[in-house]
Amino acid sequence: MSAKMLATAGLTLNALVWGVSWWPFRLLQDRGLHPLWATALIYSFALVCLLAFRPRAWRGWLAQPQLWLLLVASGLTNVGFNWAVTVGDVVRAVLLFYLMPAWVVVLAWPMLGEKPTRGSLLRLLLALTGVVVVLKTPASPWPIPESLPDWLALMAGFCFALANILLRKLDQTTEASRMLAMFAGGAVMASLAALVGMAMGVVNAPPAPGLGWMGVALVVSFAFLVGNLGLQYGAARLSANATSLIMLSEVVFASVSAVVLGSGALSARTLMGGALILLASLLSVVSFSKH
């Protein structure tokens, strides 16, 4: 198998892991483990594995304090996405999460000095129109988030865009230090959110150790670790536009698996709004590939 085929397989594997991750998170929740605690465990496992193989990864933090911001942004991305797809409609949550092109236009100007172009404003308009279509229901007079999963998915998408911009700003740092920031973010931010949620009475304490939920958590942790390795391998060997196009397959994996297993709905409104959001994402990929 050629290097490009392996890289494509790695990226597709990562998209598959993220796309169907809602299912094991729901299995864990059925066994008493809240998605925030599950996220904390998964990324703690990944963090331990990284430090075992790259024990000097933390040294990059001394030279670049912005890695702390990457930690927060990456951590909140996982907090919002994993919680949203566990308790809400999976298709709706994934589509709202992929509002990233709109957030990139908003954030790139102050953070990267990239002024909005006509093309970027068009993508922003398309993405926002798609969100309006997805959010507007016959029961609501205004197209606003109507549930906790909606807000979580939107927050996760914003933080995902912020994390991607930070990765561009931090491209001079070592890959190990960036991975450390992202793994630590998932572990730390999910733990903090879970503790705050417990204090507010909206998150249950972790269940007592048991083979049932611990076995599922271990398998999911391993899957996320392998998926991340696939992402790192593939992204380093394929062009940015090819990587972005392959990663959009996450929407397909999530939507199909959710509809088949009865955890998501593909209404005409969702399909129309989702098409506009995905079109904005595809135009972003094409635009980036021309630079």
Side-chain angles (χ1 to χ4, degrees), residues 67-271:
L67 285 168
W68 287 101
L69 185 55
L70 178 61
L71 181 152
V72 173
S74 298
L76 290 179
T77 297
N78 285 280
V79 166
F81 181 82
N82 294 342
W83 196 352
V85 296
T86 302
V87 301
D89 182 282
V90 176
V91 177
R92 183 182 175 97
V94 171
L95 288 176
L96 292 178
F97 174 75
Y98 267 92
L99 185 58
M100 190 183 70
W103 299 132
V104 168
V105 173
V106 173
L107 293 171
W109 191 355
M111 296 189 67
L112 298 175
E114 298 179 0
K115 293 184 179 181
T117 62
R118 289 183 180 180
S120 64
L121 291 176
L122 172 62
R123 296 193 296 273
L124 175 62
L125 179 61
L126 281 173
L128 291 178
T129 301
V131 170
V132 168
V133 174
V134 171
L135 291 179
K136 180 66 178 76
T137 64
S140 61
W142 300 100
I144 59 175
E146 60 183 22
S147 64
L148 175 62
D150 284 355
W151 286 108
L152 288 170
L154 287 170
M155 182 270 289
F158 177 85
C159 291
F160 185 48
L162 176 59
N164 277 275
I165 287 178
L166 286 170
L167 286 173
R168 288 172 61 185
K169 287 177 66 70
L170 297 169
D171 60 352
Q172 300 302 315
T173 59
T174 65
E175 180 180 296
S177 64
R178 295 194 299 271
M179 289 180 63
L180 178 63
M182 299 176 75
F183 288 167
V188 172
M189 298 308 296
S191 297
L192 291 176
L195 291 172
V196 172
M198 284 182 60
M200 297 175 61
V202 296
V203 176
N204 296 328
L211 291 178
W213 71 264
M214 291 179 68
V216 176
L218 182 60
V219 172
V220 177
S221 299
F222 182 75
F224 267 88
L225 181 60
V226 172
N228 189 274
L229 291 175
L231 173 63
Q232 299 295 330
Y233 180 86
R237 289 163 177 79
L238 295 178
S239 64
N241 60 311
T243 298
S244 299
L245 282 172
I246 294 170
M247 291 308 297
L248 280 176
S249 63
E250 177 190 333
V251 179
V252 178
F253 290 131
S255 300
V256 172
S257 62
V259 171
V260 170
L261 295 175
S263 296
L266 285 177
S267 64
R269 185 184 69 252
T270 301
L271 286 171

